[in-house]
Amino acid sequence: MHSVLVVDDSHVIRRLVEVCLGQLELEVHAVGSGTEACSAMSASPPAVLILDVGLPDISGWDVFDYARGERALAGLTILM
């Protein structure tokens, strides 16, 4: 099963994306900050990252740079 990591500081948006993608039989994990996103990607690399740019702690661009710099995430598809 393909996994998707959703990163958005809005609980409503996270839940909406989780519900929509869950119907496609995807494993969806959602977090609300850039720090949580980096930790989640390190623990279990997803196939797809859906990433908000404006996050409360570090920007989505910083998370993007982190993901692109990690060898384990080389094939990661990122949607911003």
Side-chain angles (χ1 to χ4, degrees):
M1 179 181 294
H2 293 288
S3 64
V4 178
L5 177 61
V6 178
V7 185
D8 200 299
D9 56 329
S10 168
H11 174 72
V12 173
I13 299 296
R14 286 194 313 267
R15 187 68 186 131
L16 176 67
V17 175
E18 281 180 299
V19 168
C20 291
L21 294 179
Q23 294 178 19
L24 299 174
E25 297 183 13
L26 297 169
E27 180 182 326
V28 181
H29 181 67
V31 298
S33 73
T35 303
E36 291 175 303
C38 293
S39 295
M41 287 187 289
S42 293
S44 180
V48 176
L49 174 63
I50 299 177
L51 180 60
D52 183 17
V53 174
L55 296 170
D57 54 350
I58 60 175
S59 78
W61 292 111
D62 291 333
V63 176
F64 177 90
D65 289 341
Y66 169 82
R68 287 296 176 237
E70 291 295 310
R71 182 177 297 269
L73 301 172
L76 179 63
T77 298
I78 301 175
L79 304 171
M80 295 182 83

